[in-house]
Amino acid sequence: MSMQTSLSYLDLSHNNIPSMDPDVRQTLDNLAAKHTVTLRLRGNPLTCTCQSLDMVRWLATTVVRLDGDNHNLAYDDDYDDNGRDYPCALEDGGMGSTGSVMAQWEAHWRRCVGLAFLTVSAVALLVQVLGLLLTYLLWSKWTYVRHAWRVLRHLRLPRRHDFQNDAVFVYADDDLELAMKLKQAVGNARPGLRLSLLMDEIMPGSYLPEGIARSVERSWKVVLLVTQTFLQDDWSGFSVLQAQGSISDTLPDRVLVLMVGPLQPWAAREPSHLSMRTLLRMIPESCVYHVPGAVTSRHNIWVTLGDRIASDPV
């Protein structure tokens, strides 16, 4: 609001004004410090709520001359300056006056500040609870969150052709020949698949755990060749853990398990056995295949396995 420096009389009566902007009040005070300024406010529906307490105090303390018209009000004994007393609507919807509110200023101020403090405290508590809940969800569902973020970022689920390999066969060192036969059998049943053996992914002289992790990360499906030899291999537990880490709610069938030949009962305290049992609980039952005897191309399982590797999420 722009005011001339020579302004000495301002009539705002009957203008349906509930409160006055702080900038306007400050401007009037600045003018009144230089010369006499008179303000008429009668006939306005002023409010005496928590939001307008500062205006009520201003009406009582400003050097601006006020021309109130409140002859029908019963004024508080401690406050009887009729020229500064205006009718106003109270917080509870009743009617009062700026003078009576000012006379009980401390009580009104404590009530309003207490309400504001309660609101701020409630909001702060809610933010803390939501923060703890969000932290728990991120911690407990980190794999899901990571893949969900990937989905949102790319606006689609990961696809087979996003990966370097359609499938990598993970096996024990002593099962290399068996793994080669499996790869050939699946490749013959489903031509065109990009199949890889673990040995193909590990560079000579490289660190074995890094090679295992890299082969899993690059592959659309991870085929674990589980034999009795695999369960006794020193690195089988690590391989199984890497396979577990690749599973998510958006890709629950990323790991395929081939149980080859007869297997001895799971040892309760054997780490590799425990990891394997955990993995089997994580993946769908349809992702577990049993090959009772020798690996031959006559098994229909290779067609089924090849189709599973080639499938994209719906």
Side-chain angles (χ1 to χ4, degrees):
M1 179 177 180
S2 176
M3 296 185 183
Q4 298 294 330
T5 57
S6 59
L7 177 68
S8 61
Y9 185 87
L10 180 61
D11 188 353
L12 296 179
S13 58
H14 303 286
N15 266 293
N16 200 30
I17 298 174
S19 182
M20 292 183 64
D21 189 271
D23 292 338
V24 175
R25 301 198 303 264
Q26 184 61 51
T27 301
L28 291 173
D29 283 338
N30 293 339
L31 292 175
K34 300 175 182 179
H35 57 264
T36 301
V37 176
T38 301
L39 173 66
R40 295 177 63 86
L41 279 176
R42 66 178 182 178
N44 287 299
L46 300 180
T47 58
C48 292
T49 62
C50 292
Q51 290 74 23
S52 59
L53 274 185
D54 57 338
M55 188 199 70
V56 173
R57 189 177 185 87
W58 180 81
L59 290 174
T61 59
T62 181
V63 296
V64 176
R65 295 182 60 182
L66 302 177
D67 184 13
D69 185 14
N70 304 294
H71 303 295
N72 295 326
L73 287 176
Y75 302 113
D76 193 289
D77 293 337
D78 297 329
Y79 195 88
D80 58 2
D81 187 348
N82 293 355
R84 294 177 178 270
D85 201 359
Y86 295 86
C88 64
L90 301 177
E91 195 84 42
D92 59 4
M95 291 300 297
S97 70
T98 58
S100 62
V101 171
M102 188 61 196
Q104 302 175 20
W105 169 261
E106 290 188 3
H108 287 282
W109 184 85
R110 283 196 298 268
R111 177 177 58 82
C112 292
V113 171
L115 181 62
F117 180 77
L118 179 62
T119 302
V120 171
S121 300
V123 172
L125 179 61
L126 179 61
V127 170
Q128 289 182 343
V129 171
L130 291 178
L132 291 174
L133 180 60
L134 180 60
T135 301
Y136 170 75
L137 291 176
L138 288 175
W139 176 79
S140 62
K141 297 290 186 180
W142 174 245
T143 301
Y144 172 79
V145 171
R146 183 178 59 186
H147 283 276
W149 167 248
R150 186 179 299 171
V151 171
L152 291 175
R153 186 177 60 182
H154 297 288
L155 298 180
R156 64 178 180 83
L157 290 171
R159 298 289 177 174
R160 177 164 62 100
H161 293 291
D162 296 335
F163 296 82
Q164 181 175 324
N165 302 317
D166 290 332
V168 62
F169 289 85
V170 180
Y171 49 87
D173 287 342
D174 293 340
D175 290 332
L176 174 59
E177 183 178 353
L178 178 61
M180 295 176 66
K181 291 182 179 180
L182 280 171
K183 176 186 174 184
Q184 182 179 5
V186 176
N188 291 336
R190 194 65 160 75
L193 288 178
R194 298 167 298 166
L195 305 177
S196 176
L197 296 176
L198 186 59
M199 62 174 292
D200 300 330
E201 301 296 319
I202 301 177
M203 300 296 294
S206 63
Y207 189 44
L208 181 60
E210 292 180 356
I212 295 174
R214 184 170 56 250
S215 64
V216 171
E217 182 180 356
R218 292 179 177 179
S219 303
W220 169 241
K221 301 289 185 183
V222 179
V223 182
L224 287 181
L225 180 55
V226 180
T227 64
Q228 194 63 43
T229 303
F230 178 82
L231 294 175
Q232 296 171 351
D233 188 80
D234 292 337
W235 288 103
S236 63
F238 181 81
S239 300
V240 173
L241 289 176
Q242 289 298 309
Q244 290 179 15
S246 69
I247 299 172
S248 68
D249 291 345
T250 54
L251 293 175
D253 60 346
R254 190 174 182 185
V255 177
L256 307 176
V257 176
L258 280 180
M259 300 282 196
V260 181
L263 299 176
Q264 296 179 5
W266 304 107
R269 298 183 180 273
E270 185 67 32
S272 61
H273 291 197
L274 292 174
S275 300
M276 197 66 219
R277 292 168 67 178
T278 301
L279 175 64
L280 292 176
R281 287 195 295 266
M282 293 175 61
I283 63 177
E285 188 176 349
S286 59
C287 292
V288 181
Y289 301 86
H290 296 272
V291 183
V295 176
T296 65
S297 59
R298 293 190 299 271
H299 283 302
N300 293 330
I301 190 175
W302 310 131
V303 176
T304 304
L305 184 60
D307 290 341
R308 192 62 176 266
I309 293 173
S311 63
D312 275 324
V314 179

